[in-house]
Each structure stands twice: as C-alpha cells, then as structure tokens.
Amino acid sequence: MGVLNFNPVSTLLLIPLLTAPLLALLPGYKISARINVLASLATLLAASSLFFLDRPAPGNYLLVDDLNIVFIVLNTFVAFTTSVFSASYIGHELETGRLPLSYLRFYHAMYQVLLFAMNLAFVANNLGLMWVGVEVATLSTVVMVGIYRTPEALEAAWKYFILGSVGIALALFGTILVYMAAQPVVGEGNNAMLWTVLIAHVAAFDPALLNLAFVFLLLGYGTKMGLAPLHAWLPDAHAEGPTPISAVLSGLLLNVALYALLRYKLLMAANPGALAPGPLMMIMGLVSLVFAAFMLYRRRDIKRLFAYSSIEHMGIITFAFGMGGPLANFAGLLHMVMHSLTKSAIFFSVGHIAQIKGTQKIAEIRGLTQTHPLLGWGLVVGVLAIAGMPPLGIFMSEFLVVSSTIAHAPWLAVPLVVGLLVAFGALLLRLTGLAFGEPSGSTAAVKASYLPLYAHLALVLIGGVYLPPALVSWFQHVAALLG
Amino acid sequence: MERIIFDIAHSLAGGLVLVSFMMLYQDRLPALINIFAVQAVLLALSVAWQAYMQDAPHLYITAGIALVFKAMIIPVALHRIIKQLGIHREIEPVVGIGSTMFIGIGLVALSMVVMLRVTGHAAPVAREDLAFALSVILLGMLMMVTRRNAVGQVIGFMSLENGLVLAATGAKGMPLVVEISIAFSVLIAFIVIGIFLFRIRERFDTVDLSALDSHRGGQ
C-alpha cells in the first residue's frame, strides 16, 4: 500500500520540483506553456485535497495546520490562473520578438521553481527551511524580472537582488537569534528550529533575545513584503519584468513574507516577557499605507502605479494583523485573499493592454472601454475593487479593518481613513484617463485570456456580497489562532 | 586550556571585524578583492576552530567552502572580471572616508552594546561571537551603501554574508548551517556570473550603478 499512499504535502512540493527540469528541457513554446498550466492545476488540486484528507502529523521538516492551508490554497489557485494568463501573454511576447525562444524554457522552469519555493516556505515546520524557501523564491523572481535584458530590466533586477539579499540576510540573522533563544530550553539540534516545538516552549525563552530577533525578522521579511521604507525594489521589479511575474509578485510572493512574519508574531505573543509585536507592525503598516497612497498620484507608468498600490495594501494587511483580535485578524485574512485576487486580475488586464498599446505610460493609454471593451471594463472593475468601492470584496475587508480600528485605537483610524481616501482618489483619477475619453494608440484585436481575469473578478464580487458560512467560520477559526 | 580555546575563537572573530574595517577605506578594486580573500581565510579558520571546539565535524564542510570558494575561486573570478571590464586600474573615490569610519565605529559599538546586554544567558563564546558577527554584518551593509560600484557592492554583500556564517556556526548545534552556507554560495555565484554575463553578452557599458540610474524607467 506504501506506493498508493497519497501524501498531499509532498505532492504539493514534488509536482513543481519535477516539472521544472522537464520544462527546462522541452523546446516548444505551446507544449511547455500547456505543461506549465497542467502542473499548476495539479498542484492546486493537491492543495485543495488538504481540506478533505487527513493531515500528516507535523514532522521534522513539514507541517500543515489551519493557518497555512489558507495561504497554500490561495497561492496555488493564483499560480494556476496566472499560468493560464501567462500562456497567452508569453505567446504575444514571442510573436513580437521581445522574448527569444531560448529564454522561454528558462522562464517556464523558473515559474515552477518559484511555485515550489513558495509552497516550501508555507509547509515548512523548520524555520531554517522556511527561510530557504523564501530565499529560493526571491532568487527565481530576480532572474525573471531581468529576463528582457534591457538596461531598465537589469537595473530593476539588480536593485531587487541587492535589497532582497540584504532582507533575507537580516531574516537569517533573526532566525539564528531565535535558535539561540530556544537552545537553552529545548536543547541543541533540529528541535530548536521546529515551529511546533518552539511554540510549545516559547514561554520559557529569554525575552530579550526574542525581542532582538523579532526586530531583525521584521526588517528582513518586511523588506520582502515591500513595507515602507524598505520598499525601494518593489515598483521597479513590478514595472520591468514580464506581467505574469508582476501578478505573482504582488499576489503571492508578498504573502509568503507576510506568512513568515505571522509565524514569528505568534511566537512573540506566546512569550509573556517579550515585547508586543503588534505596535511595531501597526506603525510599519500605517506608514506604508499613507506613504504609498500619496506616491500613487505621481506615477506615470501603469505597472508602477499598481505596484505602489500593492505597498499600500500590504500596509493595510500588516496593520490589521498587528492590531490583532478576532475581528482585525479576520479582516486581515480576508483583505489578503481579496487583494491577491484583485491585484493579479488587474495585472492580467494591464499585461494585455500594455502589449496592445506598446507602452506602459499612463498618458498614452486612453479610452480602453471603447477600443477593447472586455479588457477595459475588466480593468475598471478591478481598479474600483482595489480602490475599495462597494460592493466588491476589498470594501468589505477595509470596512472591517476600519471598524475594528475604531473599536481598539480610535485615533489611529484617522490616518488609516485618510490613507484609504487618498489612494481611492488617486486610483480613480488615473482610471478615468485610462478607461474613458478619446481612444489613443493601437486598436488592434488581441488574443487575450479573459477567463482568469473574470474568474478573479467574480470571486472578488462574490466575496463582497456573500461569504459562504463555511468560509466565514474557517476564517474566524484561523483569526482566533492568530490571537 | 579552556581559556586559550576561547581566546583563539575571539581573536579570529575579532580579526574578521578588523578586516571589515580595512575594506571600508579601500579605493582600488584589486586591493579590495584581496582583502576580501583575507577575510574569507579568517572565516574559514574561525569556522574550523568552532568545528573543533564544538566537536561538530560537519562544520568543516562550511570551513572548506569558505576557503575554496570564497577565498580562492571568487577572488580569482572577480580579478578577471574587473580586468575584462577595464576597471582594475581605476581609483574609485570613496566619499567621506572619515565619516564612514566613524559610522563604522558607531555600528560596532552599537552591536557590542546590544548583543552583550541581550544575550546575558547564552554561553560566553556564542555571545561574543554573535556580537562580532553582528558587527561584520552591519559593516558589510555600510559598505554596500557607500559603494557606487557594483563589484564593490557585491564584495560588501559577501562580507555581510561572512558575518552570517560566523553567527550561524557560533550558535552551538544549529541545524542546516552547512545547507545554508551552500545556498549562500550559490547565491553569490549567481551574482558574480550575473555581473560577468551582463557586461559581456549585453550592451552594458558599465556596471557603475550611478550610470544605471539614468536607465530607471518612468516614474
């Protein structure tokens, strides 16, 4: 029976890991794009099976619990839809010759490596292994950001690389400090790195060492999340890489770093002597939100615009989790899901738009709803959603964040609401220019994949109107876990 | 006997900090690369000493990686790259040597104060090693900030990473140290190959980041 035993966790890791070398070897574009989609779909199915099958007991390396299932399923779902979008996007890049065929094998292989690394970071029980997952995910996106080999793309990749490396270096130092704190209590060796062991014994750890560790972890993983003032790599990396990568960067990779931070926040909260991690996260979140909201006004590049919007939303999510409590954690989880879905949907439509118009400059794109109604209206709905317009999902989660802020810390609600309104204004201002008015640029028809775009938007709409009770109780349960 | 074992560990770790300072004020790339190689040798010795002290043979692998990869292969490769790029004779003006050194001293003082105060309960070797390691990390970051040249920044990053390896090996019995040092070596190889490839295969006239700034996309 041993062979027939289906282990969803190892399947989740093995599918992308085995597909990557296969894609690196296959020459044809069509076949490798299809395999990429199929492998992503298979990974999604394996992830969904975690809901139904018995979970494996936490081991020396891997762990599945109620918290990371949410992240894994969201991650594999968006990775799957993005692979569908990527197939049509990359097809167009090949036709126009922006991307030579030889780079394409590399691109698809790296896509699966990224998927593997993100899943590894999510299911890792060993904190060192989690760090390795984040590092590999960073590296694979660095090479994809620079794949066009233009000076701009190389500069973006270089900047991302240097800042990302410093970030992961700081995170590693924090991880070492956590080990140092754990070692006198739980003994040397692997045990002192296992999250399940740490959370059981954390109350006896030296609080001063944990505090120091958390500062490094917050700075390190905060860099990877794009929190201000550590965000400098994020807009460049989003603007210069292929758009499917912008979608996974915003929708998924930022969540990986957030997840790592949440794990450490739980550790901190379980130690009575350690400083409360919440206020630090709230400050960083609020600064990112307000800063990014004002920066939105000065953007001239469409992908850069939405990159700053990602900084804004990661700020909101960090703020919500920093505040803690059942309601704010619920809002943070919901906001994270809605943001991932909406932002990747926006990048799906922006990717095709930039391809048709041959430019990413906002000023040169006008009247999209007339020339390309499906893409244009998709963008309109996406931007309205991301700006927080009811009845879409993000309005709901932002409303929950604001109302729990008013309940917990009323004076913080002022900068929060100001930030949200400023961002709202900036996005609508840019949207009217993009979507309406006299059409400009090429009006050629496009072979776009509308399915991922509208599937995401539909989910965001449903999330805003009606949340299934099963989902609500699940999220409430996870929110309670997060403290 | 116990005493001298600690003293050797401390002098090796302290040597790493000293070499980090020497890197701060180098204005010629070849000299900078040579000093980095010296730091890598010191790191290898320090890690090997830890392996002996902790009786942890797997750490000899990490020491070997530091010696072969970081003290030999990388410096040789970098020397060849800067020769090919034609920047091996240039003098890179290091702005504000005095202020950089003062900031460096401040960072070392900061890491001593913070680490020694915080790690009161840890074993004395680990504690002081960690303080030295944090100094090396911060000095490496300082170097990355003050250098305009990509090769200089990479060397700054590698010296930062030396500090991380020092910290990881100082933490007694930490798992995955060897794996992590291998992962870092891969990362560094990526960077060095990247610098090399972009210059040779693409239309990159310089790896000076101040020139790259002009290529920055629209805001």
Side-chain angles (χ1 to χ4, degrees):
Chain A
M1 280 305 285
V3 186
L4 293 175
N5 265 349
F6 172 74
N7 181 345
V9 185
S10 47
T11 317
L12 202 63
L13 297 173
L14 280 178
I15 295 173
L17 192 62
L18 296 178
T19 316
L22 178 70
L23 287 174
L25 294 175
L26 282 177
Y29 149 67
K30 284 223 164 96
I31 182 113
S32 52
R34 265 180 210 148
I35 291 180
N36 195 29
V37 173
L38 283 179
S40 309
L41 177 63
T43 319
L44 169 64
L45 293 178
S48 320
S49 75
L50 287 172
F51 278 122
F52 311 109
L53 297 176
D54 285 341
R55 287 174 207 159
N60 269 342
Y61 294 102
L62 302 181
L63 158 82
V64 179
D65 63 5
D66 292 338
L67 173 61
N68 61 11
I69 285 189
V70 180
F71 284 83
I72 296 168
V73 172
L74 176 68
N75 187 50
T76 46
F77 176 73
V78 179
F80 164 61
T81 48
T82 307
S83 71
V84 176
F85 161 67
S86 160
S88 63
Y89 179 89
I90 293 296
H92 187 277
E93 296 297 88
L94 274 181
E95 276 167 30
T96 53
R98 269 191 86 190
L99 208 56
L101 199 57
S102 55
Y103 289 175
L104 203 70
R105 298 206 302 218
F106 184 66
Y107 168 85
H108 280 130
M110 277 300 158
Y111 192 87
Q112 292 296 326
V113 171
L114 171 67
L115 194 52
F116 161 75
M118 291 193 294
N119 285 342
L120 180 68
F122 284 135
V123 297
N125 190 14
N126 186 313
L127 294 178
L129 199 62
M130 181 165 84
W131 177 86
V132 170
V134 177
E135 192 220 330
V136 175
T138 307
L139 268 187
S140 57
T141 40
V142 165
V143 289
M144 286 198 279
V145 164
I147 204 165
Y148 287 130
R149 303 291 167 97
T150 59
E152 293 86 355
L154 289 181
E155 197 226 343
W158 181 261
K159 206 165 164 183
Y160 178 26
F161 195 74
I162 291 293
L163 283 168
S165 303
V166 172
I168 53 183
L170 292 179
L172 178 61
F173 194 68
T175 311
I176 295 172
L177 289 177
V178 170
Y179 172 79
M180 296 279 293
Q183 185 216 29
V185 181
V186 298
E188 282 170 28
N190 213 18
N191 262 349
M193 290 278 256
L194 292 188
W195 196 83
T196 39
V197 176
L198 293 183
I199 195 77
H201 296 94
V202 71
F205 293 179
D206 178 14
L209 210 49
L210 273 185
N211 290 349
L212 191 65
F214 187 74
V215 172
F216 279 98
L217 291 162
L218 181 63
L219 289 178
Y221 287 126
T223 309
K224 305 276 326 126
M225 274 173 76
L227 292 180
L230 310 163
H231 66 281
W233 61 273
L234 193 144
D236 286 15
H238 277 67
E240 305 304 341
T243 312
I245 299 312
S246 316
V248 281
L249 270 178
S250 262
L252 303 179
L253 195 60
L254 303 183
N255 291 352
V256 177
L258 169 74
Y259 168 79
L261 201 59
L262 284 180
R263 284 276 182 210
Y264 285 107
K265 179 183 180 256
L266 284 175
L267 278 185
M268 295 293 288
N271 184 306
L275 94 166
L280 282 176
M281 290 172 70
M282 283 165 80
I283 293 169
M284 275 187 98
L286 210 52
V287 169
S288 308
L289 160 66
V290 174
F291 166 82
F294 280 101
M295 293 302 276
L296 282 174
Y297 279 94
R298 293 181 50 225
R299 298 308 107 193
R300 295 192 295 268
D301 181 299
I302 187 166
K303 281 164 81 178
R304 231 167 247 275
L305 176 78
F306 293 114
Y308 273 96
S309 153
S310 291
I311 301 177
E312 180 217 335
H313 285 278
M314 288 322 277
I316 299 173
I317 297 166
T318 314
F319 177 81
F321 283 125
M323 193 154 52
L327 184 61
N329 282 337
F330 182 89
L333 276 177
L334 186 64
H335 197 82
M336 182 192 82
V337 174
M338 290 301 152
H339 170 251
S340 290
L341 293 173
T342 317
K343 189 53 66 64
S344 37
I346 289 178
F347 276 116
F348 297 162
S349 78
V350 164
H352 286 308
I353 289 166
Q355 281 182 330
I356 307 162
K357 302 287 181 188
T359 176
Q360 291 180 198
K361 291 209 174 73
I362 293 175
E364 292 171 16
I365 307 172
R366 322 192 62 74
L368 283 170
T369 45
Q370 284 181 42
T371 53
H372 301 87
L374 276 173
L375 281 178
W377 285 109
L379 183 71
V380 170
V381 177
V383 175
L384 287 179
I386 210 81
M389 196 75 138
L392 296 146
I394 287 191
F395 168 75
M396 171 98 130
S397 53
E398 281 180 354
F399 178 77
L400 290 174
V401 174
V402 171
S403 50
S404 62
T405 312
I406 291 173
H408 278 82
W411 63 94
L412 285 181
V414 178
L416 179 69
V417 171
V418 168
L420 290 177
L421 288 178
V422 169
F424 183 86
L427 286 168
L428 287 204
L429 191 70
R430 293 282 168 260
L431 178 66
T432 45
L434 287 168
F436 308 105
E438 197 62 29
S440 72
S442 161
T443 55
V446 60
K447 264 201 295 185
S449 42
Y450 298 108
L451 193 65
L453 170 63
Y454 281 94
H456 278 206
L457 291 178
L459 285 175
V460 172
L461 179 63
I462 294 169
V465 180
Y466 169 74
L467 281 175
L471 190 73
V472 173
S473 62
W474 179 271
F475 273 18
Q476 275 169 344
H477 170 62
V478 177
L481 282 182
L482 284 169
Chain B
M1 193 56 202
E2 191 84 327
R3 183 78 217 153
I4 196 142
I5 287 182
F6 285 179
D7 283 348
I8 292 177
H10 287 163
S11 16
L12 286 172
L16 281 171
V17 179
L18 204 65
V19 175
S20 283
F21 263 107
M22 286 168 67
M23 284 197 230
L24 278 182
Y25 60 80
Q26 292 307 319
D27 54 3
R28 281 167 191 274
L29 284 177
L32 186 65
I33 295 171
N34 291 339
I35 293 180
F36 169 74
V38 171
Q39 193 181 40
V41 172
L42 273 179
L43 177 75
L45 286 175
S46 172
V47 173
W49 190 250
Q50 291 282 352
Y52 168 72
M53 257 172 37
Q54 299 176 17
D55 200 16
H58 63 278
L59 288 186
Y60 286 117
I61 302 175
T62 306
I65 293 174
L67 189 66
V68 175
F69 186 70
K70 281 196 272 191
M72 297 175 190
I73 298 177
I74 288 286
V76 169
L78 283 178
H79 273 300
R80 290 190 56 172
I81 287 175
I82 58 171
K83 208 164 272 175
Q84 295 220 12
L85 298 181
I87 50 175
H88 59 296
R89 290 229 175 76
E90 270 173 43
I91 293 174
E92 186 200 4
V94 181
V95 275
I97 284 191
S99 46
T100 311
M101 294 301 277
F102 272 119
I103 296 172
I105 292 170
L107 289 177
V108 173
L110 179 79
S111 57
M112 294 294 164
V113 170
V114 169
M115 291 309 297
L116 295 183
R117 183 166 297 172
V118 160
T119 56
H121 303 292
V125 197
R127 192 176 162 205
E128 282 151 39
D129 250 14
L130 220 53
F132 284 129
L134 182 58
S135 307
V136 174
I137 292 172
L138 293 179
L139 289 176
M141 275 169 119
L142 180 65
M143 193 171 144
M144 290 176 78
V145 176
T146 50
R147 299 275 161 171
R148 304 293 294 165
N149 179 299
V151 175
Q153 285 192 337
V154 167
I155 294 178
F157 176 69
M158 290 191 293
S159 112
L160 185 162
E161 191 253 327
N162 286 347
L164 281 174
V165 173
L166 184 68
T169 51
K172 196 157 180 268
M174 178 158 155
L176 292 174
V177 172
V178 179
E179 288 83 347
I180 283 173
S181 62
I182 293 172
F184 261 122
S185 306
V186 172
L187 196 145
I188 287 171
F190 249 97
I191 312 184
V192 172
I193 294 169
I195 295 183
F196 186 71
L197 284 185
F198 293 160
R199 174 62 177 84
I200 301 305
R201 304 237 323 259
E202 311 293 332
R203 309 167 298 276
F204 236 50
D205 294 329
T206 167
V207 281
D208 191 332
L209 289 182
S210 57
L212 275 178
D213 282 344
S214 61
H215 294 308
R216 203 199 234 276
Q219 290 295 307

